[in-house]
């Protein structure tokens, strides 16, 4: 797979792998041996960018995702980039699914988190360490100062911010250069495009999570879908309702038509659209199936012209769409 550079010097595969779904939010967890096998297959396919977090786990084993990633990628460690995250807890007592989020980026919390992640990942450094959500109680300068210390200590080599806004990004970047922001971005969720000129100016990359609107843009979901409300966040996502399927027919048809023209799949078109917009965008679709990993990796080879990207943009700008899942509530 071709590569891209995030920030100043972090080289990653053009498409990364979001690892959350092996353990969290997309159904019952994948059996551990199978999850390790699939992660290893991804590395053999050419993925060099793997994204996890300390909170991607189960009530029984809240950190299992990092452990799986660390175990699977140990044989490939010298040629893969591992991103993980700090600064977030789930409110498991609320009875709500998705679990409400509790941000915590106090310096002491970060220091405890990074040591835990290093141990679980079985590595001596984290390649890209993301603040998982902004903590309104801790200023960006303070968080960036801790990141600078961790870089000097060799515990991390690069850092980033998830769900970043312009003010927070600029203030953090002035203290310790930010390599990437990890924000929700897809054909159905384009509100962060207002941040693009700032990313260009500062030389910061965009790691796009939920790049296929939680799988909806694959075109494989129709009416009558059932998701386990205990394990699968899609059970409460508005784009998967029967009404939404009707509302989004023009969008799905747009993807199917372009896919036929390019001898690709709708999923690949939805990824190629963002890959061809800017060289500093790296999507991280998640999947639990080997054939989908191969399909998503193949999106990097689908080339859209500037005119084709512009035509897609204009169509999206004027198209009726359903609501789309925009994230889990942060507990105040």
């Amino acid at each position: 797979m071709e590569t891209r550079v995030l920030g100043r010097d972090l080289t990653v595969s053009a498409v990364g792998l979001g690892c959350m779904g092996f353990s969290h939010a997309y159904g019952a967890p994948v059996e551990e041996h199978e999850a390790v096998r699939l992660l290893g297959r991804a590395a053999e396919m050419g993925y060099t960018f793997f994204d996890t977090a300390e909170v991607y786990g189960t009530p029984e084993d809240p950190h299992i995702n990092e452990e799986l990633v660390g175990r699977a990628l140990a044989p490939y460690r010298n040629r893969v980039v591992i991103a993980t995250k700090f600064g977030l807890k789930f409110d498991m007592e609320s009875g709500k699914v998705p679990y409400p989020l509790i941000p915590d980026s106090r310096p002491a919390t970060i220091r405890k988190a990074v040591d835990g992640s290093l141990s679980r990942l079985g590595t001596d450094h984290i390649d890209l360490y993301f603040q998982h959500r902004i903590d309104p109680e801790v200023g960006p300068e303070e968080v960036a100062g801790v990141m600078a210390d961790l870089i000097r200590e060799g515990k991390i080599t690069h850092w980033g911010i998830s769900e970043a806004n312009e003010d927070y990004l600029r203030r953090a970047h002035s203290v310790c250069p930010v390599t990437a922001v990890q924000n929700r971005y897809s054909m159905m969720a384009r509100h962060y495009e207002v941040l693009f000129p700032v990313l260009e100016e500062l030389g910061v990359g965009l790691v796009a999570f939920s790049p296929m609107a939680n799988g909806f843009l694959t075109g494989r979901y129709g009416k009558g879908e059932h998701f386990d409300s205990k394990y699968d966040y899609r059970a409460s996502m508005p784009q998967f309702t029967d009404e939404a399927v009707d509302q989004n027919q023009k969008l799905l048809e747009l993807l199917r038509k372009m896919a036929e023209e390019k001898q690709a799949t709708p999923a690949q078109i939805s990824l190629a659209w963002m890959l061809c917009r800017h060289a500093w965008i790296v999507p991280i679709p998640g999947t639990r199936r080997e054939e989908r990993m191969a399909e998503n990796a193949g999106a990097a080879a689908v080339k859209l012209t500037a005119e084709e990207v512009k035509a897609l943009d204009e169509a999206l700008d004027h198209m009726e769409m359903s609501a789309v899942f925009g994230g889990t509530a942060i507990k105040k």
Side-chain angles (χ1 to χ4, degrees):
M1 202 192 312
E2 64 183 52
T3 60
R4 297 194 158 195
V5 178
L6 294 172
R8 296 172 175 174
D9 60 2
L10 185 61
T11 300
V12 298
S13 51
V15 177
L17 181 64
C19 302
M20 179 180 75
F22 290 113
S23 313
H24 182 81
Y26 284 89
V30 177
E31 188 273 326
E32 290 185 26
H33 179 78
E34 176 65 0
V36 169
R37 185 191 75 80
L38 288 168
L39 285 160
R41 281 292 298 127
E44 291 164 4
M45 285 180 193
Y47 285 89
T48 64
F49 185 32
F50 295 81
D51 180 85
T52 181
E54 65 172 345
V55 292
Y56 293 162
T58 66
E60 298 75 26
D61 195 344
H63 306 302
I64 184 62
N65 201 258
E66 284 187 325
E67 294 171 359
L68 293 174
V69 169
R71 193 185 322 158
L73 298 182
Y76 313 95
R77 185 64 185 100
N78 64 346
R79 58 183 177 92
V80 298
V81 169
I82 296 176
T84 192
K85 309 180 193 76
F86 68 89
L88 196 65
K89 295 186 294 183
F90 291 126
D91 178 7
M92 309 288 282
E93 309 301 321
S94 67
K96 297 179 181 178
V97 178
Y99 304 123
L101 308 178
I102 304 172
D104 182 357
S105 288
R106 292 172 293 175
T109 301
I110 297 171
R111 288 221 163 254
K112 181 178 179 181
V114 72
D115 288 340
S117 290
L118 287 167
S119 176
R120 288 185 291 271
L121 290 167
T123 186
D124 62 356
H125 72 280
I126 293 164
D127 301 292
L128 182 53
Y129 201 35
F130 281 110
Q131 183 181 19
H132 208 155
R133 287 296 184 274
I134 291 171
D135 183 347
E137 302 300 320
V138 182
E141 295 84 0
E142 188 170 11
V143 174
V146 178
M147 296 299 106
D149 289 342
L150 294 179
I151 290 171
R152 281 192 292 270
E153 294 165 18
K155 292 185 176 183
I156 69 173
T157 60
H158 304 78
W159 84 289
I161 306 161
S162 186
E163 300 280 52
N165 60 58
E166 179 178 353
D167 177 67
Y168 194 93
L169 173 59
R170 286 189 181 279
R171 290 168 60 188
H173 189 77
S174 69
V175 175
C176 183
V178 175
T179 292
V181 299
Q182 184 177 137
N183 288 4
R184 184 181 305 275
Y185 185 50
S186 73
M187 286 182 163
M188 296 183 75
R190 299 174 62 196
H191 48 286
Y192 279 118
E193 288 181 2
V194 297
L195 194 61
F196 285 8
V198 181
L199 300 180
E200 287 269 17
E201 175 193 339
L202 300 179
V204 174
L206 171 66
V207 175
F209 76 87
S210 298
M212 290 186 282
N214 308 98
F216 184 82
L217 295 176
T218 63
R220 297 189 178 94
Y221 296 93
K223 291 183 178 180
E225 297 290 346
H226 174 74
F227 301 102
D228 187 338
S229 60
K230 179 179 178 182
Y231 293 109
D232 199 321
Y233 284 10
R234 288 171 295 184
S236 62
M237 291 182 182
Q239 67 266 38
F240 292 101
T241 64
D242 287 355
E243 295 78 13
V245 172
D246 286 334
Q247 285 179 285
N248 293 317
Q249 280 308 305
K250 288 184 178 179
L251 173 59
L252 295 175
E253 182 56 33
L254 177 70
L255 285 168
R256 282 193 289 266
K257 182 180 178 182
M258 180 65 78
E260 289 175 5
E261 293 175 4
K262 294 292 182 179
Q263 297 184 313
T265 66
Q268 289 174 331
I269 296 300
S270 70
L271 296 174
W273 165 77
M274 64 177 67
L275 287 166
C276 294
R277 294 191 97 224
H278 296 288
W280 38 260
I281 295 178
V282 176
I284 51 167
T287 183
R288 300 147 65 104
R289 298 173 63 182
E290 188 171 333
E291 61 268 31
R292 295 287 85 81
M293 287 180 187
E295 179 183 354
N296 295 342
V302 178
K303 303 303 179 185
L304 306 180
T305 66
E307 291 75 19
E308 287 169 332
V309 172
K310 183 179 179 181
L312 286 172
D313 286 347
E314 290 177 351
L316 296 170
D317 286 340
H318 299 94
M319 187 175 290
E320 178 189 3
M321 297 183 195
S322 74
V324 64
F325 182 66
T328 308
I330 292 179
K331 189 172 182 179
K332 305 298 183 182

